[in-house]
Structures are given as structure tokens and as C-alpha cells.
Amino acid sequence: MTAEKKEMQSVTIRIPKTLYAEYKKALLTQGKIVTYDVRNYMAEVVEKQTKGQKQA
């Protein structure tokens, strides 16, 4: 069973250091990783858009 490789895009965003640190700390308590959380959020936005739902 071979995993399908996806072409990935690196993205650089500017976030205040304190916000990032607090976000990372909050995710750590949930057992999540910043990169995967942002990626999942982006996928959720795209999925909702595809289904025609409004974004908040």
C-alpha cells in the first residue's frame, strides 16, 4: 500500500509572536500541531465554499 504523494506549497505569513505562542500553547493542550491545524482549517473553508455555505 503506497501513500499518494501530494505536491505541497510552502506559505509564509506574518503573525505577531505573542499570538503565535498563545495559539501554539492552546493547540498543545489539545494535542494538535499548528501546521496541521491551519491546513485542516483551510480544507474546511474550501469544503464549505464548495458546498455553497457562507464563511464567517
Side-chain angles (χ1 to χ4, degrees):
M1 185 154 95
T2 327
E4 182 180 323
K5 287 192 175 188
K6 294 182 181 180
E7 185 176 355
M8 301 298 271
Q9 173 72 47
S10 293
V11 178
T12 302
I13 56 175
R14 295 176 53 84
I15 301 170
K17 282 188 174 189
T18 54
L19 175 60
Y20 181 79
E22 290 174 16
Y23 183 63
K24 189 172 180 176
K25 185 195 253 185
L27 289 180
L28 184 62
T29 64
Q30 301 172 33
K32 295 180 179 179
I33 299 171
V34 173
T35 303
Y36 298 127
D37 189 65
V38 172
R39 190 182 301 162
N40 289 338
Y41 174 76
M42 291 174 73
E44 182 181 313
V45 169
V46 170
E47 183 179 337
K48 285 182 180 178
Q49 177 67 31
T50 322
K51 291 181 179 178
Q53 297 177 357
K54 267 186 139 180
Q55 294 301 309

